[in-house]
Amino acid sequence: MHVEVVTLFPEMIRQVVGHGVLGRALERGLLSVGTENPRAHTQDAHQTVDDRPYGGGPGMVLKPGPLSAAIAAATARCPPGSRRVYLSAQGRPFDQSKAAELKALPGLVLVAGRYEGIDERVIATSIDEELSIGDYVLSGGELPALVVIDALARLMDGALNDARSSVEESFADGLLDWPHYTRPEEFAGLKVPEVLTSGDHARIRRWRLKQALGKTWTVRPDLLLKGAVGKDEGRLAERERAERAELLNEFLHERGRREAPNEEPQ
Ligand code: 9D3
């Protein structure tokens, strides 16, 4: 997959994509990342990329000319069938199922805005989809573009070093993670839960699923209503559904049914 980022700060992108899982995915040729700077598409001596908003108000708006020219240049380096995505606080939420959908595309042009935003006519003529990474105010689309690229990279076959089987981990799909422990067996007066050193893999699996269900109930009950995230969305096998119901019931029974979700019992 080839990804292009249209940005006034290409160094921000280049610096980050060299590291970790992402850097390895690039080295392995699973993914390539290029950048295009609207400033390179200006015609005036001052290389002006922004201007005051029609109608007045604070801040500046990215001018349509240089930005649309940069999007065109970036698109020309992507295979046919690529999608042009504008990262914006006004977009639909980016989530794991959207990551899986984008992963299937041959290429992606990610447009990062700055200032108050971009001229609406660029959205009308040069953007296929608008995505937000969450309900908080950032200062531009570069970090969101990197978030999207990172989520895509780890979905590429061969990007992760461990050969994790999707079958093996699917039992906790769509849930928050269970607690993790490593050596030593006692730290800060706290022991590793006995079940994890028991060698009883069926018991360990059920303990982990119950922990994941309990944590999810407590901090993200919305995920339980959704069913699951990702490719298995809403397609939990009947047996898994029954097991989850049983273990969630156990969790609720043990912590006291009267506590509402979101209340971490102490
Ligand atoms: C009128 C209020 N605005 C400024 C306080 C609107 C506004 C303009 C530009 C809010 C954010 C931004 C810059 N944000 C992004 O480019 C952005 C973003 C975000 O802020 N939150 C979540 N996802 C994204 S994706 C791009």
Side-chain angles (χ1 to χ4, degrees):
M1 180 184 209
H2 183 67
V3 180
E4 284 283 333
V5 184
V6 175
T7 169
L8 291 171
F9 303 103
E11 288 307 319
M12 266 182 91
I13 307 299
R14 286 199 279 265
Q15 288 277 326
V16 175
V17 299
H19 299 271
V21 170
L22 200 42
R24 223 157 34 233
L26 293 180
E27 279 170 19
R28 292 175 183 173
L30 307 171
L31 192 73
S32 50
V33 176
T35 57
E36 188 67 32
N37 193 336
R39 214 172 284 283
H41 298 269
T42 53
Q43 312 290 341
D44 63 316
H46 293 102
Q47 300 193 298
T48 312
V49 292
D50 60 339
D51 205 342
R52 288 155 29 203
Y54 274 116
M60 299 291 270
V61 175
L62 279 178
K63 289 170 71 63
L67 181 58
S68 60
I71 295 172
T75 305
R77 287 196 296 271
C78 287
S82 297
R83 196 179 300 182
R84 298 163 299 178
V85 172
Y86 172 42
L87 284 317
S88 130
Q90 281 69 49
R92 292 209 172 79
F94 176 72
D95 61 11
Q96 193 64 29
S97 61
K98 180 56 72 175
E101 179 190 325
L102 298 182
K103 182 219 168 203
L105 296 169
L108 209 51
V109 177
L110 299 174
V111 179
R114 278 274 150 177
Y115 316 118
E116 283 311 298
I118 72 179
D119 189 297
E120 191 67 21
R121 293 163 296 182
V122 175
I123 300 176
T125 58
S126 310
I127 294 297
D128 302 310
E129 179 170 16
E130 215 171 326
L131 292 176
S132 162
I133 63 157
D135 297 334
Y136 33 80
V137 181
L138 300 172
S139 44
E142 285 78 11
L143 292 172
L146 287 164
V147 165
V148 169
I149 293 170
D150 187 75
L152 293 180
R154 42 176 304 110
L155 288 177
M156 303 286 164
D157 293 329
L160 303 178
N161 273 331
D162 49 346
R164 68 182 63 176
S165 122
S166 54
V167 184
E168 212 176 302
E169 290 223 340
S170 69
F171 75 91
D173 248 12
L175 301 176
L176 300 183
D177 223 348
W178 55 77
H180 303 282
Y181 296 88
T182 186
R183 290 184 294 178
E185 222 175 293
E186 184 177 331
F187 177 77
L190 300 172
K191 289 197 166 66
V192 172
E194 175 275 325
V195 57
L196 297 179
T197 55
S198 70
D200 183 341
H201 297 295
R203 237 181 104 215
I204 291 170
R205 184 184 163 284
R206 285 173 63 83
W207 181 86
R208 283 178 168 165
L209 180 52
K210 185 166 156 186
Q211 292 287 319
L213 283 161
K215 185 74 183 172
T216 307
W217 171 271
T218 303
V219 317
R220 292 293 304 280
D222 57 305
L223 293 180
L224 290 178
L225 293 173
K226 218 163 138 181
V229 294
K231 60 177 168 18
D232 291 335
E233 193 155 27
R235 294 205 273 116
L236 266 191
E238 201 47 52
R239 262 185 39 224
E240 282 172 57
R241 214 177 279 286
E243 187 177 28
R244 285 188 181 197
E246 178 196 336
L247 291 174
L248 181 56
N249 216 38
E250 271 184 40
F251 166 83
L252 291 171
H253 187 75
E254 282 162 32
R255 67 105 80 161
R257 279 176 179 278
R258 253 168 301 180
E259 274 136 336
N262 305 315
E263 288 174 30
E264 293 259 20
Q266 272 320 309

